Amino acid sequence: MDEPLIERMRSYGETIFAEMTRLATETKSVNLGQGFPDTDGPRSLLEGANRYVLEGVNQYPPGPGRPELREAVARYRSRRHGIDLDPETQVYITVGATGGIAASLLSLVEPGDEVVVFEPMYDSYAAVISLAGGVRKPVPLRRDDTTGRFTFDPAELNAAVGPRTRVVMVNTPHNPTGAVFDASELEEIAKVCREHDLIAVTDEVYEFLTFDGAPHVPLATLPGMAERTLSISSVGKTFAVTGWKTGWVMGPEPLVRAARTVNQFLTFSANGALQMAIADAFENEEKWVEQQRDALQRKRDRLAEGLVETGFDVRPCEGTYFLMADIRPLGYSDGEDLARALPREAGVAAVPAKVFYDHEEEGAHLLRFAFCKQDEVLDEAVARLRRWHSDRT
Ligand SMILES: *Cc1c(COP(=O)(O)O)cnc(C)c1O
Protein backbone atom coordinates (compact mmCIF):
# COMPACT_ATOMS: atom_id res chain seq x y z
CA MET A 1 0.00 0.00 0.00
CA ASP A 2 1.15 3.54 -0.67
CA GLU A 3 1.75 5.69 2.41
CA PRO A 4 -1.79 6.17 3.74
CA LEU A 5 -1.00 9.21 5.90
CA ILE A 6 -2.07 12.55 4.40
CA GLU A 7 0.85 14.32 2.84
CA ARG A 8 0.95 17.36 5.09
CA MET A 9 1.44 15.17 8.17
CA ARG A 10 4.19 12.95 6.76
CA SER A 11 7.03 14.91 8.29
CA TYR A 12 5.64 14.22 11.77
CA GLY A 13 6.90 10.76 12.70
CA GLU A 14 7.47 9.44 16.19
CA THR A 15 8.02 12.37 18.55
CA ILE A 16 11.46 12.83 20.05
CA PHE A 17 9.87 12.41 23.50
CA ALA A 18 8.78 8.87 22.70
CA GLU A 19 12.20 8.08 21.26
CA MET A 20 14.12 9.54 24.21
CA THR A 21 11.82 7.89 26.75
CA ARG A 22 12.37 4.53 25.06
CA LEU A 23 16.13 5.09 25.05
CA ALA A 24 16.01 6.19 28.70
CA THR A 25 14.12 3.02 29.69
CA GLU A 26 16.46 0.75 27.71
CA THR A 27 19.52 2.25 29.36
CA LYS A 28 17.95 2.75 32.82
CA SER A 29 18.78 6.41 32.51
CA VAL A 30 17.61 9.23 34.73
CA ASN A 31 15.01 10.77 32.44
CA LEU A 32 15.09 14.56 32.43
CA GLY A 33 13.62 14.53 28.94
CA GLN A 34 9.85 14.58 29.21
CA GLY A 35 8.37 17.22 31.51
CA PHE A 36 6.25 15.40 34.02
CA PRO A 37 6.64 15.59 37.82
CA ASP A 38 7.55 12.43 39.72
CA THR A 39 5.46 13.41 42.76
CA ASP A 40 1.68 13.77 43.05
CA GLY A 41 -0.52 16.83 43.14
CA PRO A 42 -2.33 17.95 46.30
CA ARG A 43 -3.93 15.16 48.29
CA SER A 44 -7.36 16.83 48.33
CA LEU A 45 -7.32 16.94 44.52
CA LEU A 46 -6.63 13.21 44.25
CA GLU A 47 -9.20 12.38 46.92
CA GLY A 48 -11.72 14.66 45.26
CA ALA A 49 -11.39 12.77 41.98
CA ASN A 50 -11.82 9.50 43.85
CA ARG A 51 -14.88 10.78 45.69
CA TYR A 52 -16.63 12.22 42.65
CA VAL A 53 -16.13 8.98 40.72
CA LEU A 54 -17.58 6.95 43.59
CA GLU A 55 -20.44 9.43 43.95
CA GLY A 56 -21.41 8.69 40.36
CA VAL A 57 -20.03 11.60 38.29
CA ASN A 58 -19.24 9.18 35.49
CA GLN A 59 -21.31 10.12 32.46
CA TYR A 60 -20.73 12.74 29.77
CA PRO A 61 -20.21 16.14 31.32
CA PRO A 62 -21.88 19.03 29.45
CA GLY A 63 -20.03 19.78 26.17
CA PRO A 64 -18.66 23.13 27.40
CA GLY A 65 -17.51 21.50 30.66
CA ARG A 66 -18.86 21.22 34.19
CA PRO A 67 -20.24 24.60 35.31
CA GLU A 68 -18.31 24.24 38.60
CA LEU A 69 -14.98 24.23 36.75
CA ARG A 70 -15.94 26.99 34.30
CA GLU A 71 -16.90 29.15 37.29
CA ALA A 72 -13.69 28.30 39.16
CA VAL A 73 -11.63 29.21 36.09
CA ALA A 74 -13.46 32.53 35.68
CA ARG A 75 -12.86 33.26 39.38
CA TYR A 76 -9.12 32.60 39.38
CA ARG A 77 -8.57 34.62 36.20
CA SER A 78 -10.48 37.47 37.84
CA ARG A 79 -8.70 37.13 41.19
CA ARG A 80 -5.20 36.94 39.73
CA HIS A 81 -5.43 39.08 36.64
CA GLY A 82 -8.62 41.14 36.85
CA ILE A 83 -9.96 39.42 33.73
CA ASP A 84 -13.76 39.30 33.52
CA LEU A 85 -15.10 36.10 31.94
CA ASP A 86 -18.69 34.88 31.68
CA PRO A 87 -18.35 31.21 32.64
CA GLU A 88 -21.32 30.36 30.40
CA THR A 89 -19.95 31.67 27.14
CA GLN A 90 -16.32 32.64 27.68
CA VAL A 91 -14.80 29.56 29.30
CA TYR A 92 -14.77 26.20 27.56
CA ILE A 93 -13.25 22.98 28.90
CA THR A 94 -11.08 20.83 26.59
CA VAL A 95 -9.00 17.65 26.69
CA GLY A 96 -5.86 19.29 28.01
CA ALA A 97 -4.33 22.45 26.65
CA THR A 98 -3.37 20.26 23.69
CA GLY A 99 -7.05 19.78 22.84
CA GLY A 100 -7.67 23.49 23.30
CA ILE A 101 -4.79 24.42 21.00
CA ALA A 102 -5.99 22.00 18.34
CA ALA A 103 -9.62 23.18 18.49
CA SER A 104 -8.54 26.84 18.45
CA LEU A 105 -6.16 26.66 15.51
CA LEU A 106 -8.37 24.32 13.48
CA SER A 107 -11.30 26.70 13.96
CA LEU A 108 -9.42 29.91 13.12
CA VAL A 109 -6.89 29.03 10.42
CA GLU A 110 -8.05 28.61 6.80
CA PRO A 111 -5.85 26.65 4.39
CA GLY A 112 -3.10 29.02 3.26
CA ASP A 113 -3.44 31.33 6.26
CA GLU A 114 -0.22 32.19 8.07
CA VAL A 115 0.39 31.73 11.77
CA VAL A 116 3.21 33.60 13.47
CA VAL A 117 4.94 31.45 16.09
CA PHE A 118 7.96 32.07 18.26
CA GLU A 119 10.63 29.43 17.94
CA PRO A 120 11.63 27.22 19.65
CA MET A 121 7.99 26.15 19.90
CA TYR A 122 5.99 23.49 21.70
CA ASP A 123 5.72 20.58 19.29
CA SER A 124 1.94 20.45 18.90
CA TYR A 125 1.73 23.95 17.35
CA ALA A 126 3.57 22.99 14.19
CA ALA A 127 1.59 19.79 13.69
CA VAL A 128 -1.82 21.42 14.23
CA ILE A 129 -1.01 24.35 11.94
CA SER A 130 -0.07 21.80 9.27
CA LEU A 131 -3.26 19.86 9.93
CA ALA A 132 -5.25 23.07 9.41
CA GLY A 133 -3.41 23.62 6.12
CA GLY A 134 -1.82 26.77 7.56
CA VAL A 135 1.70 28.07 7.12
CA ARG A 136 4.10 28.74 10.00
CA LYS A 137 6.01 32.00 10.15
CA PRO A 138 8.61 31.45 12.87
CA VAL A 139 10.14 34.35 14.81
CA PRO A 140 13.29 33.25 16.66
CA LEU A 141 13.87 33.76 20.36
CA ARG A 142 17.57 34.46 20.80
CA ARG A 143 19.98 35.19 23.60
CA ASP A 144 19.88 38.79 24.79
CA ASP A 145 23.49 39.98 24.96
CA THR A 146 23.16 41.70 28.34
CA THR A 147 20.75 39.50 30.31
CA GLY A 148 21.24 36.13 28.60
CA ARG A 149 17.42 35.80 28.43
CA PHE A 150 15.71 34.47 25.35
CA THR A 151 13.94 37.34 23.60
CA PHE A 152 12.82 38.35 20.10
CA ASP A 153 13.65 41.24 17.82
CA PRO A 154 10.49 43.32 17.25
CA ALA A 155 11.65 43.99 13.69
CA GLU A 156 11.66 40.24 13.01
CA LEU A 157 8.17 39.95 14.49
CA ASN A 158 6.92 42.74 12.24
CA ALA A 159 8.61 41.22 9.22
CA ALA A 160 6.88 37.87 9.86
CA VAL A 161 3.43 39.45 9.47
CA GLY A 162 1.93 39.67 5.98
CA PRO A 163 -1.44 39.92 4.25
CA ARG A 164 -2.22 36.23 4.90
CA THR A 165 -1.38 36.34 8.63
CA ARG A 166 -4.35 35.32 10.73
CA VAL A 167 -3.04 34.27 14.15
CA VAL A 168 -0.09 34.97 16.41
CA MET A 169 0.61 32.05 18.73
CA VAL A 170 2.13 33.14 22.04
CA ASN A 171 3.45 30.84 24.77
CA THR A 172 4.47 32.45 28.05
CA PRO A 173 5.91 31.22 30.40
CA HIS A 174 7.71 29.58 27.51
CA ASN A 175 8.57 25.94 26.99
CA PRO A 176 11.38 25.07 26.23
CA THR A 177 13.33 28.28 26.95
CA GLY A 178 11.93 29.13 30.41
CA ALA A 179 11.42 32.73 29.26
CA VAL A 180 8.56 34.76 30.76
CA PHE A 181 7.62 37.61 28.42
CA ASP A 182 7.86 40.99 30.17
CA ALA A 183 5.66 44.05 29.71
CA SER A 184 7.61 45.48 26.78
CA GLU A 185 7.74 42.15 24.91
CA LEU A 186 4.00 41.68 25.38
CA GLU A 187 3.34 45.24 24.23
CA GLU A 188 5.32 44.59 21.01
CA ILE A 189 3.14 41.55 20.33
CA ALA A 190 -0.06 43.42 21.19
CA LYS A 191 0.91 46.31 18.91
CA VAL A 192 1.39 43.98 15.96
CA CYS A 193 -1.95 42.26 16.66
CA ARG A 194 -3.82 45.55 16.88
CA GLU A 195 -2.16 47.10 13.84
CA HIS A 196 -2.81 44.10 11.60
CA ASP A 197 -6.12 43.04 13.15
CA LEU A 198 -4.76 39.61 14.16
CA ILE A 199 -6.05 37.03 16.60
CA ALA A 200 -3.71 35.99 19.40
CA VAL A 201 -3.87 32.43 20.71
CA THR A 202 -1.99 32.12 23.99
CA ASP A 203 -0.66 29.02 25.71
CA GLU A 204 -0.43 29.82 29.43
CA VAL A 205 -0.12 26.33 30.92
CA TYR A 206 2.73 27.53 33.18
CA GLU A 207 0.85 30.66 34.28
CA PHE A 208 1.30 29.80 37.98
CA LEU A 209 4.91 28.68 37.68
CA THR A 210 7.07 31.81 37.40
CA PHE A 211 10.16 32.30 39.55
CA ASP A 212 11.94 35.08 41.46
CA GLY A 213 8.72 37.10 41.56
CA ALA A 214 8.46 37.46 37.77
CA PRO A 215 4.79 38.20 37.10
CA HIS A 216 2.82 36.23 34.53
CA VAL A 217 0.91 38.82 32.48
CA PRO A 218 -1.80 37.40 30.21
CA LEU A 219 -1.66 39.02 26.77
CA ALA A 220 -5.45 39.48 27.04
CA THR A 221 -4.92 42.15 29.72
CA LEU A 222 -3.08 44.51 27.36
CA PRO A 223 -5.00 47.40 25.74
CA GLY A 224 -7.16 46.28 22.83
CA MET A 225 -6.29 42.59 23.32
CA ALA A 226 -9.23 41.17 25.31
CA GLU A 227 -11.45 41.16 22.22
CA ARG A 228 -8.88 39.40 20.02
CA THR A 229 -7.19 36.89 22.35
CA LEU A 230 -8.06 33.26 22.92
CA SER A 231 -6.21 32.18 26.08
CA ILE A 232 -5.51 28.53 26.86
CA SER A 233 -4.44 26.92 30.11
CA SER A 234 -4.74 23.57 31.85
CA VAL A 235 -4.51 21.71 35.12
CA GLY A 236 -1.55 19.45 34.37
CA LYS A 237 1.45 21.65 35.12
CA THR A 238 -0.17 23.78 37.86
CA PHE A 239 -1.27 20.84 40.02
CA ALA A 240 1.34 18.27 38.94
CA VAL A 241 -1.25 15.98 37.32
CA THR A 242 -0.09 15.99 33.70
CA GLY A 243 -2.01 12.78 33.01
CA TRP A 244 -5.35 14.38 33.78
CA LYS A 245 -5.48 16.16 30.42
CA THR A 246 -8.02 18.79 31.34
CA GLY A 247 -7.65 22.28 29.91
CA TRP A 248 -9.67 25.38 29.11
CA VAL A 249 -10.05 27.97 26.40
CA MET A 250 -10.97 31.49 27.53
CA GLY A 251 -11.81 34.70 25.72
CA PRO A 252 -14.44 36.67 23.85
CA GLU A 253 -17.58 34.72 23.03
CA PRO A 254 -17.07 34.60 19.22
CA LEU A 255 -13.59 33.12 19.56
CA VAL A 256 -14.62 30.63 22.25
CA ARG A 257 -17.65 29.68 20.13
CA ALA A 258 -15.35 29.00 17.16
CA ALA A 259 -13.17 26.62 19.18
CA ARG A 260 -16.26 25.02 20.67
CA THR A 261 -17.85 24.41 17.29
CA VAL A 262 -14.82 22.41 16.16
CA ASN A 263 -14.18 20.69 19.47
CA GLN A 264 -17.71 19.26 19.58
CA PHE A 265 -16.54 16.87 16.87
CA LEU A 266 -12.99 16.27 18.07
CA THR A 267 -13.59 15.11 21.64
CA PHE A 268 -16.95 16.68 22.62
CA SER A 269 -16.16 16.50 26.36
CA ALA A 270 -14.10 14.61 28.94
CA ASN A 271 -13.27 13.92 32.57
CA GLY A 272 -16.38 15.08 34.43
CA ALA A 273 -15.25 13.83 37.85
CA LEU A 274 -11.78 15.30 37.39
CA GLN A 275 -13.30 18.63 36.37
CA MET A 276 -15.22 18.71 39.67
CA ALA A 277 -12.10 17.93 41.68
CA ILE A 278 -10.08 20.57 39.82
CA ALA A 279 -12.77 23.19 40.49
CA ASP A 280 -12.45 22.49 44.23
CA ALA A 281 -8.65 22.67 44.06
CA PHE A 282 -8.75 26.15 42.52
CA GLU A 283 -10.78 27.29 45.52
CA ASN A 284 -8.83 25.46 48.24
CA GLU A 285 -5.30 24.69 47.12
CA GLU A 286 -3.77 27.96 46.00
CA LYS A 287 -1.27 27.67 48.87
CA TRP A 288 -0.17 24.29 47.55
CA VAL A 289 0.45 25.85 44.15
CA GLU A 290 2.60 28.58 45.71
CA GLN A 291 4.63 25.98 47.58
CA GLN A 292 4.99 23.94 44.42
CA ARG A 293 6.20 27.02 42.56
CA ASP A 294 8.79 27.75 45.26
CA ALA A 295 9.91 24.13 45.31
CA LEU A 296 10.32 24.20 41.53
CA GLN A 297 12.41 27.36 41.78
CA ARG A 298 14.75 25.57 44.21
CA LYS A 299 14.90 22.57 41.87
CA ARG A 300 15.77 24.86 38.99
CA ASP A 301 18.66 26.22 41.04
CA ARG A 302 19.75 22.75 42.13
CA LEU A 303 19.90 21.41 38.60
CA ALA A 304 21.35 24.61 37.13
CA GLU A 305 24.20 24.57 39.64
CA GLY A 306 25.01 20.94 38.89
CA LEU A 307 24.97 21.52 35.14
CA VAL A 308 27.19 24.58 35.46
CA GLU A 309 29.65 22.59 37.57
CA THR A 310 29.66 19.92 34.87
CA GLY A 311 30.59 22.57 32.33
CA PHE A 312 27.31 23.42 30.58
CA ASP A 313 26.43 27.04 29.93
CA VAL A 314 23.01 27.20 31.59
CA ARG A 315 20.64 29.87 30.30
CA PRO A 316 18.45 31.98 32.59
CA CYS A 317 15.08 30.37 33.36
CA GLU A 318 12.19 32.49 34.68
CA GLY A 319 9.46 29.86 34.81
CA THR A 320 8.12 26.45 33.60
CA TYR A 321 9.57 22.98 34.30
CA PHE A 322 12.60 23.38 32.03
CA LEU A 323 15.98 24.91 31.57
CA MET A 324 18.17 25.13 28.53
CA ALA A 325 21.86 24.32 28.56
CA ASP A 326 24.42 25.20 25.90
CA ILE A 327 26.69 22.22 25.19
CA ARG A 328 29.47 24.08 23.38
CA PRO A 329 31.66 24.68 26.45
CA LEU A 330 31.84 20.87 26.76
CA GLY A 331 33.20 20.63 23.24
CA TYR A 332 30.01 19.55 21.48
CA SER A 333 28.02 21.35 18.83
CA ASP A 334 25.15 19.02 17.89
CA GLY A 335 22.60 18.57 20.66
CA GLU A 336 20.80 15.80 18.80
CA ASP A 337 23.94 13.64 18.63
CA LEU A 338 24.70 14.34 22.27
CA ALA A 339 21.11 13.64 23.42
CA ARG A 340 21.26 10.27 21.63
CA ALA A 341 24.65 9.45 23.19
CA LEU A 342 24.00 10.61 26.75
CA PRO A 343 21.68 7.79 27.86
CA ARG A 344 24.25 5.12 26.94
CA GLU A 345 27.35 7.08 27.92
CA ALA A 346 26.13 8.88 31.05
CA GLY A 347 22.80 7.30 31.97
CA VAL A 348 20.93 10.60 31.64
CA ALA A 349 18.27 11.59 29.10
CA ALA A 350 17.52 15.13 27.89
CA VAL A 351 15.80 16.54 24.82
CA PRO A 352 17.70 18.22 21.96
CA ALA A 353 16.20 21.70 21.60
CA LYS A 354 16.65 21.47 17.83
CA VAL A 355 13.33 19.61 17.58
CA PHE A 356 11.49 22.73 18.72
CA TYR A 357 12.82 24.87 15.84
CA ASP A 358 12.01 25.32 12.18
CA HIS A 359 15.45 26.89 11.76
CA GLU A 360 17.19 23.97 13.45
CA GLU A 361 20.60 25.63 13.38
CA GLU A 362 19.31 28.22 15.87
CA GLY A 363 18.94 25.58 18.60
CA ALA A 364 21.45 22.95 17.52
CA HIS A 365 23.74 23.57 20.50
CA LEU A 366 21.06 23.43 23.21
CA LEU A 367 19.66 20.65 25.38
CA ARG A 368 16.44 20.95 27.38
CA PHE A 369 16.47 19.48 30.88
CA ALA A 370 13.34 19.02 33.04
CA PHE A 371 13.80 19.88 36.73
CA CYS A 372 10.28 18.90 37.93
CA LYS A 373 11.77 15.84 39.64
CA GLN A 374 12.63 14.80 43.18
CA ASP A 375 15.86 16.26 44.53
CA GLU A 376 17.50 12.81 44.71
CA VAL A 377 16.71 12.29 41.03
CA LEU A 378 18.23 15.64 40.07
CA ASP A 379 21.29 14.92 42.22
CA GLU A 380 21.74 11.50 40.65
CA ALA A 381 21.51 12.99 37.16
CA VAL A 382 24.12 15.60 38.01
CA ALA A 383 26.43 13.02 39.64
CA ARG A 384 26.22 10.86 36.51
CA LEU A 385 26.86 13.78 34.19
CA ARG A 386 29.89 14.87 36.22
CA ARG A 387 31.31 11.34 36.21
CA TRP A 388 30.74 11.09 32.47
CA HIS A 389 32.42 14.42 31.86
CA SER A 390 35.45 13.73 34.06
CA ASP A 391 35.91 10.28 32.40
CA ARG A 392 36.11 12.02 29.04
CA THR A 393 38.67 14.61 29.98
C1 LIG B 1 2.58 20.47 28.69
C2 LIG B 1 2.27 21.55 27.70
C3 LIG B 1 1.05 21.58 27.01
C4 LIG B 1 0.06 20.45 27.09
O1 LIG B 1 -0.82 20.61 28.12
P1 LIG B 1 -1.91 19.45 28.38
O2 LIG B 1 -2.87 20.10 29.28
O3 LIG B 1 -1.19 18.31 28.99
O4 LIG B 1 -2.50 19.09 27.07
C5 LIG B 1 0.80 22.64 26.17
N1 LIG B 1 1.69 23.63 25.99
C6 LIG B 1 2.87 23.63 26.62
C7 LIG B 1 3.81 24.77 26.38
C8 LIG B 1 3.22 22.59 27.49
O5 LIG B 1 4.42 22.59 28.06
Side-chain angles (χ1 to χ4, degrees):
M1 186 163 58
D2 292 341
E3 171 55 57
L5 179 64
I6 53 174
E7 195 173 339
R8 63 187 183 277
M9 293 305 289
R10 283 186 199 161
S11 64
Y12 302 94
E14 182 187 48
T15 72
I16 189 78
F17 307 102
E19 186 190 336
M20 294 310 301
T21 297
R22 186 157 32 74
L23 205 57
T25 313
E26 275 169 25
T27 56
K28 299 195 168 53
S29 286
V30 179
N31 189 355
L32 304 186
Q34 216 177 1
F36 59 86
D38 57 359
T39 48
D40 272 331
R43 192 73 205 164
S44 76
L45 176 67
L46 311 179
E47 284 171 356
N50 189 23
R51 191 177 68 249
Y52 286 117
V53 165
L54 292 175
E55 282 174 5
V57 186
N58 296 306
Q59 308 308 330
Y60 296 126
R66 295 286 310 198
E68 293 85 350
L69 180 54
R70 282 183 275 133
E71 283 158 19
V73 167
R75 274 197 297 270
Y76 89 71
R77 292 289 281 192
S78 161
R79 212 160 50 228
R80 294 177 63 82
H81 305 299
I83 296 172
D84 242 348
L85 294 167
D86 175 357
E88 282 290 315
T89 57
Q90 299 189 300
V91 181
Y92 178 76
I93 311 301
T94 55
V95 177
T98 310
I101 292 161
S104 300
L105 293 174
L106 289 172
S107 68
L108 298 173
V109 176
E110 294 277 12
D113 280 353
E114 292 174 357
V115 179
V116 172
V117 282
F118 294 91
E119 70 175 349
M121 73 190 97
Y122 185 66
D123 61 341
S124 85
Y125 307 163
V128 171
I129 293 165
S130 296
L131 203 51
V135 178
R136 292 193 295 285
K137 289 285 166 182
V139 176
L141 298 175
R142 295 204 190 95
R143 179 185 209 128
D144 181 86
D145 286 339
T146 25
T147 62
R149 288 177 70 241
F150 283 87
T151 188
F152 61 90
D153 177 350
E156 286 188 300
L157 172 60
N158 275 286
V161 175
R164 288 302 308 262
T165 308
R166 173 89 170 135
V167 170
V168 180
M169 184 81 214
V170 180
N171 171 215
T172 181
H174 185 264
N175 171 7
T177 64
V180 175
F181 285 166
D182 64 19
S184 73
E185 288 163 330
L186 290 167
E187 181 45 39
E188 291 292 347
I189 298 168
K191 202 165 74 188
V192 165
C193 291
R194 289 188 306 255
E195 271 169 17
H196 298 272
D197 196 20
L198 306 178
I199 297 167
V201 174
T202 67
D203 177 343
E204 303 178 35
V205 299
Y206 299 98
E207 61 179 317
F208 289 86
L209 304 179
T210 62
F211 307 138
D212 308 311
H216 168 66
V217 180
L219 187 64
T221 62
L222 272 78
M225 292 308 290
E227 64 262 36
R228 59 177 71 254
T229 303
L230 200 49
S231 311
I232 298 168
S233 191
S234 93
V235 72
K237 309 297 168 39
T238 303
F239 284 110
V241 285
T242 58
W244 282 26
K245 297 301 289 186
T246 302
W248 35 92
V249 169
M250 305 163 277
E253 190 270 340
L255 291 180
V256 172
R257 181 160 29 87
R260 175 175 168 168
T261 302
V262 165
N263 195 60
Q264 290 179 97
F265 308 107
L266 293 179
T267 55
F268 176 59
S269 70
N271 299 338
L274 301 188
Q275 291 184 30
M276 299 286 281
I278 297 162
D280 294 342
F282 272 116
E283 301 303 320
N284 304 322
E285 293 288 3
E286 248 179 42
K287 266 258 133 17
W288 185 94
V289 175
E290 281 168 26
Q291 286 163 1
Q292 172 80 347
R293 177 202 62 203
D294 294 345
L296 282 165
Q297 180 176 321
R298 289 190 297 272
K299 288 175 186 300
R300 173 203 63 180
D301 294 341
R302 194 177 193 104
L303 180 61
E305 209 170 289
L307 292 177
V308 167
E309 281 166 10
T310 308
F312 290 96
D313 176 13
V314 175
R315 311 288 300 273
C317 159
E318 302 162 311
T320 75
Y321 281 180
F322 305 106
L323 48 80
M324 292 269 254
D326 192 328
I327 62 176
R328 287 174 296 188
L330 292 169
Y332 291 93
S333 55
D334 190 312
E336 194 170 354
D337 290 347
L338 183 59
R340 287 215 165 84
L342 272 183
R344 257 177 253 293
E345 292 183 11
V348 175
V351 170
K354 196 174 174 177
V355 302
F356 301 108
Y357 287 83
D358 279 342
H359 301 101
E360 293 189 342
E361 68 287 356
E362 295 269 354
H365 54 284
L366 296 166
L367 290 183
R368 188 194 75 173
F369 289 90
F371 52 79
C372 50
K373 307 291 178 183
Q374 296 179 61
D375 288 348
E376 307 81 82
V377 174
L378 298 175
D379 292 349
E380 177 62 24
V382 167
R384 290 181 181 199
L385 286 169
R386 295 186 68 166
R387 219 174 305 134
W388 160 77
H389 183 55
S390 63
D391 286 353
R392 287 175 49 251
T393 48

